[in-house]
Amino acid sequence: MGAMSVRTESTAPHRAGFACFVGRPNAGKSTLTNALVGTKVAITSNRPQTTRHTVRGIVHRPDAQLVLVDTPGLHKPRTLLGERLNDVVRTTWSEVDVIGFCLPADQKLGPGDRYIAAELAAIKKTPKVAIVTKTDLVDSKALATQLLAIDRLGKELGIEWAEIIPVSAVGDQQVSLLADLLVPLLPESPALYPEGDLTDEPEQVMVAELIREAALEGVRDELPHSIAVVVEEMLPREDRPADKPLLDIHANVYIERPSQKGIIIGPKGKRLKDVGTKSRKHIEALLGTPVFLDLHVKVAKDWQRDPKQLRKLGF
């Protein structure tokens, strides 16, 4: 009897594949990723485009492995960087196995949602799931209205939603249900990543993101996107005892114009020092090792518009 019950359990094929969440800034994409994976991976921020690189979280289950690919926000391009980001987004969308379109329950569908939905409609093959986030912020009547509006939006644009799923990542309600509904949309496949991998993001990129996040804090209005961070090197300090390692990190913070230098550095270098202290704490938590952080501010003239600079800065 025992053998039989084991057999019946393993008849369902193992599935594995890629999913990405899209939606306007603040739609709850990173929060959802973190809730599914169970640790903080993506950089959450109240501004668009802080996650410029593909950060993947991996959900391991006995029956499946769901790899979450975080695409940068899609927006109407105003600069070369914007267009390049949009190309990256479209490529990603056509390569993943399922797209989750995040729409906050507490905000009416707006032009930004419509713009993304129209782009989604053009990607025919990939299954699309509408995920209504932040359901803890509304009552059931408002939620029902939002679900109907999303259904209507799909019909208007010719999108067949594979599912429309309300979730609240904050209360962990239905986050596992969301995984249950995404898994059947994945192809049959053995696991793609070893157990224990939560993110395959290169550490240097994550470190750069943490520094960028700290550098933008408090000056977002003055320098919304004109900061790029490049980690030049990460080396373990030599001659350190095994139980007291130290990692040397040298990073450059690039801004577009000399006038922005003062904003980042602050009076008597105080701001830059704060940025260093704050990001160092996060980096140490991420890497689990003490860090010596060496930060320099450099001007890369108009890097958002210059293809050569963009390549050098990793875009």
Side-chain angles (χ1 to χ4, degrees), residues 252-263:
N252 291 328
V253 178
Y254 287 95
I255 48 183
E256 288 189 294
R257 293 187 288 285
S259 59
Q260 297 169 333
K261 216 167 174 168
I263 300 174

Side-chain angles (χ1 to χ4, degrees), residues 125-175:
K125 286 206 304 280
T126 317
K128 295 155 206 75
V129 171
I131 304 170
V132 188
T133 58
K134 310 188 185 186
T135 53
D136 50 304
L137 302 179
V138 297
D139 60 18
S140 54
K141 191 162 165 268
L143 180 57
T145 309
Q146 186 72 318
L147 294 173
L148 286 168
I150 291 167
D151 186 53
R152 219 169 22 243
L153 178 67
K155 289 201 170 72
E156 258 171 58
L157 295 169
I159 299 173
E160 180 102 31
W161 301 118
E163 306 270 356
I164 299 180
I165 313 164
V167 294
S168 158
V170 183
D172 271 349
Q173 298 154 314
Q174 300 140 311
V175 169

Side-chain angles (χ1 to χ4, degrees), residues 34-68:
N34 297 338
L36 275 165
V37 177
T39 54
K40 185 171 181 331
V41 279
I43 311 294
T44 46
S45 145
N46 56 359
R47 270 294 163 103
Q49 286 179 305
T50 45
T51 345
R52 281 182 195 267
H53 299 270
T54 309
V55 178
R56 296 185 176 88
I58 302 172
V59 182
H60 297 278
R61 295 163 49 120
D63 59 332
Q65 189 179 64
L66 178 66
V67 183
L68 304 171

Side-chain angles (χ1 to χ4, degrees), residues 212 222-228 254-257 260 303-304:
R212 183 167 185 270
E222 298 161 84
L223 307 170
H225 305 307
S226 40
I227 296 183
Y254 287 95
I255 48 183
E256 288 189 294
R257 293 187 288 285
Q260 297 169 333
W303 62 264
Q304 295 205 6

Side-chain angles (χ1 to χ4, degrees), residues 5-312:
S5 64
V6 170
R7 281 253 287 292
T8 51
E9 268 172 33
S10 60
T11 48
H14 187 279
R15 296 181 179 271
F18 295 87
C20 73
F21 295 140
V22 302
R24 314 182 256 154
N26 252 344
K29 303 180 291 276
S30 297
T31 313
L32 197 56
T33 301
N34 297 338
L36 275 165
V37 177
T39 54
K40 185 171 181 331
V41 279
I43 311 294
T44 46
S45 145
N46 56 359
R47 270 294 163 103
Q49 286 179 305
T50 45
T51 345
R52 281 182 195 267
H53 299 270
T54 309
V55 178
R56 296 185 176 88
I58 302 172
V59 182
H60 297 278
R61 295 163 49 120
D63 59 332
Q65 189 179 64
L66 178 66
V67 183
L68 304 171
V69 186
D70 206 23
T71 51
L74 184 82
H75 55 284
K76 297 197 164 119
R78 283 187 307 277
T79 60
L80 177 65
L81 173 63
E83 290 197 23
R84 177 127 0 139
L85 282 173
N86 284 359
D87 291 343
V88 170
V89 173
R90 288 193 193 93
T91 311
T92 307
W93 287 2
S94 52
E95 288 169 358
V96 295
D97 300 298
V98 56
I99 300 170
F101 183 20
C102 295
L103 299 139
D106 63 332
Q107 294 164 35
K108 282 204 156 55
L109 299 186
D113 299 314
R114 210 161 268 281
Y115 176 71
I116 296 173
E119 290 282 341
L120 281 177
I123 312 259
K124 293 281 182 252
K125 286 206 304 280
T126 317
K128 295 155 206 75
V129 171
I131 304 170
V132 188
T133 58
K134 310 188 185 186
T135 53
D136 50 304
L137 302 179
V138 297
D139 60 18
S140 54
K141 191 162 165 268
L143 180 57
T145 309
Q146 186 72 318
L147 294 173
L148 286 168
I150 291 167
D151 186 53
R152 219 169 22 243
L153 178 67
K155 289 201 170 72
E156 258 171 58
L157 295 169
I159 299 173
E160 180 102 31
W161 301 118
E163 306 270 356
I164 299 180
I165 313 164
V167 294
S168 158
V170 183
D172 271 349
Q173 298 154 314
Q174 300 140 311
V175 169
S176 57
L177 171 71
L178 171 61
D180 292 341
L181 293 170
L182 292 175
V183 163
L185 300 169
L186 303 177
E188 294 182 18
S189 155
L192 304 163
Y193 289 86
E195 180 86 56
D197 280 11
L198 289 176
T199 168
D200 76 343
E201 181 71 347
E203 284 175 343
Q204 261 170 275
V205 174
M206 289 191 80
V207 166
E209 279 295 349
L210 290 170
I211 296 170
R212 183 167 185 270
E213 181 88 331
L216 275 174
E217 216 152 282
V219 296
R220 282 213 162 85
D221 300 330
E222 298 161 84
L223 307 170
H225 305 307
S226 40
I227 296 183
V229 175
V230 176
V231 173
E232 296 292 339
E233 57 177 12
M234 288 175 38
L235 295 168
R237 175 88 51 100
E238 287 175 20
D239 313 327
R240 295 284 290 200
D243 58 340
K244 286 216 171 76
L246 182 67
L247 188 66
D248 281 315
I249 299 180
H250 299 280
N252 291 328
V253 178
Y254 287 95
I255 48 183
E256 288 189 294
R257 293 187 288 285
S259 59
Q260 297 169 333
K261 216 167 174 168
I263 300 174
I264 289 283
I265 293 173
K268 297 204 173 123
K270 187 175 171 324
R271 263 215 89 244
L272 189 63
K273 215 180 184 150
D274 290 348
V275 169
T277 311
K278 188 173 238 154
S279 54
R280 198 186 73 235
K281 283 205 186 78
H282 289 301
I283 294 165
E284 291 181 337
L286 173 78
L287 302 177
T289 174
V291 160
F292 173 78
L293 183 58
D294 176 39
L295 277 187
H296 293 276
V297 179
K298 301 200 165 180
V299 179
K301 228 165 98 49
D302 291 333
W303 62 264
Q304 295 205 6
R305 287 180 168 67
D306 175 354
K308 222 166 61 225
Q309 299 270 17
L310 279 173
R311 267 198 302 279
K312 184 178 155 210

